[in-house]
Amino acid sequence: MSSTELFGLAAVIAMVTTYALERRSHWFVLAFALACAAASMYAVLINSLPFALAEGIWAIVALLRWRRIRNSVLPQ
């Protein structure tokens, strides 16, 4: 298995794990966003632009969701 494939595998495992743990803390939502960004970078590395675009959108959506959740948790 190449280092690129290991990177992709790690990104997908991180996505699944952090997605499963999102309800425990808003930090897992942020970790999910970063894992999606890593999966998007992997897709670029393997020249799979549709996958890169989809994962990039997921990363942005998760980042916006994290910001909304974080703002509701922090004292005003």
Side-chain angles (χ1 to χ4, degrees):
M1 189 175 268
S2 73
S3 58
T4 303
E5 290 170 327
L6 285 173
F7 175 69
L9 179 63
V12 171
I13 288 172
M15 281 177 58
V16 171
T17 303
T18 56
Y19 181 77
L21 297 172
E22 277 187 341
R23 291 181 186 249
R24 294 183 181 211
S25 171
H26 65 94
W27 294 111
F28 286 114
V29 179
L30 178 61
F32 177 69
L34 296 174
C36 288
S40 182
M41 286 191 334
Y42 168 70
V44 169
L45 290 173
I46 64 167
N47 293 319
S48 178
L49 296 182
F51 182 63
L53 180 62
E55 291 303 326
I57 291 169
W58 268 111
I60 292 167
V61 168
L63 191 59
L64 293 173
R65 195 163 39 94
W66 171 75
R67 193 174 71 179
R68 187 188 76 237
I69 293 168
R70 185 197 59 173
N71 289 340
S72 69
V73 171
L74 294 176
Q76 299 296 327

